[in-house]
Amino acid sequence: METIINSTQIPVVTVDGPSGVGKGTLCVLLAKHFKWNLLDSGAIYRVLALSILDHNISLDSEDVLETHALNLPLKFVTMESGVHVLLNDIDVSDKLRTQEIGEMASKIAALPKVREALLQRQRDFRNKPGLIADGRDMGTVVFPDAPVKIFLDASPEARAERRMKQLQKNKICAIYDEILHEIKARDERDRNRTIAPLKSASDAFLIDSTDLTIDEVFQQALKIINSKINL
């Protein structure tokens, strides 16, 4: 007879932190290393942002936004190149990384009804053998019982420099001062919103990636996880 496993018995590693800190890259590396499921919660909000922009829905229409969130035709597909995001079965992964989408996602994330609509959808990603959850409130709100919580941080200047190089690599015009201003404004909005503000869980491990390579961050995270979970 098959043993029924309660979802709370499935291990979760949460990785929270501000925009542009490298959470996504770290989480993909961890998910591949452990062969676990991956939740990019930011992508959920970005897909919703893309969809409401496409449908010209006003941010003032919170009830409409809530209904739209509940019925969002969203899928995640894991491939060798990473996790691809599908909206209406169309791969929109590349469209989600623009500054406009990021700004809109941050704004809708501050709306209580929208956050509540997407909360259970995020928790549904907790499946065997385990989950790596990338976001801003994964350890404080979505998975408060996670056995391992990491808060990844870096200075706004370091994050702006990384973002500029990323945009330039994709042949997109980028101005450092503008990017730094946008990052600081987003940090202010994310840290001071009433619902689920960006903050480190009291039992989270802090990793400051300002002066670290992604491999150094990955090795620190592995050491933390292996010390907390018997894998």
Side-chain angles (χ1 to χ4, degrees):
M1 183 175 180
E2 183 179 356
T3 301
I4 298 175
I5 297 179
N6 189 302
S7 65
T8 58
Q9 296 176 284
I10 298 171
V12 178
V13 173
T14 63
V15 180
D16 290 314
S19 173
V21 78
K23 301 186 303 294
T25 302
L26 173 61
C27 287
V28 169
L29 290 173
L30 290 173
K32 286 184 176 180
H33 177 81
F34 291 111
K35 294 182 173 58
W36 283 9
N37 300 296
L38 174 65
L39 165 61
D40 181 351
S41 66
I44 294 179
Y45 285 94
R46 285 173 179 266
V47 168
L48 181 57
L50 175 64
S51 186
I52 67 174
L53 284 171
D54 286 345
H55 288 82
N56 295 313
I57 300 174
S58 170
L59 290 180
D60 295 328
S61 307
E62 194 169 346
D63 287 339
V64 177
L65 288 171
E66 178 188 21
T67 300
H68 201 70
L70 288 170
N71 296 284
L72 194 65
L74 166 69
K75 294 179 183 176
F76 287 96
V77 179
T78 303
M79 301 181 184
E80 185 60 34
S81 57
V83 178
H84 290 246
V85 187
L86 306 185
L87 177 61
N88 284 316
D89 291 324
I90 298 173
D91 191 338
V92 295
S93 305
D94 291 340
K95 294 182 179 180
L96 303 183
R97 298 304 170 186
T98 67
Q99 203 67 30
E100 179 186 19
I101 294 298
E103 289 292 306
M104 178 62 75
S106 180
K107 291 175 182 177
I108 62 176
L111 302 175
K113 289 185 178 180
V114 174
R115 295 198 71 85
E116 187 62 30
L118 295 180
L119 182 58
Q120 188 57 49
R121 297 191 71 170
Q122 294 174 83
R123 288 177 173 161
D124 288 341
F125 281 85
R126 189 174 194 168
N127 295 308
K128 294 188 294 183
L131 175 68
I132 306 293
D134 164 2
R136 287 176 176 76
D137 63 348
M138 296 296 98
T140 54
V141 176
V142 183
F143 301 107
D145 63 333
V148 181
K149 300 173 185 177
I150 295 171
F151 191 87
L152 187 60
D153 208 350
S155 70
E157 292 76 15
R159 289 184 279 138
E161 183 72 23
R162 293 170 189 170
R163 178 61 176 162
M164 184 176 70
K165 289 180 179 178
Q166 181 185 46
L167 291 171
Q168 290 174 340
K169 183 179 180 181
N170 293 326
K171 298 181 180 180
I172 299 174
C173 180
I175 300 174
Y176 173 82
D177 288 342
E178 290 183 1
I179 295 172
L180 179 60
H181 174 75
E182 289 166 352
I183 283 176
K184 288 182 175 180
R186 184 167 183 180
D187 283 355
E188 180 73 13
R189 186 163 60 245
D190 289 347
R191 293 181 189 274
N192 293 291
R193 65 193 182 206
T194 303
I195 304 297
L198 169 65
K199 63 179 181 179
S200 175
S202 60
D203 55 345
F205 292 86
L206 174 64
I207 299 178
D208 188 331
S209 70
T210 300
D211 299 313
L212 300 179
T213 65
I214 184 57
D215 185 61
E216 289 171 330
V217 172
F218 176 65
Q219 293 302 325
Q220 282 198 27
L222 275 185
K223 186 176 180 180
I224 292 168
I225 294 167
N226 288 328
S227 71
K228 299 288 290 184
I229 302 177
N230 184 20
L231 298 173

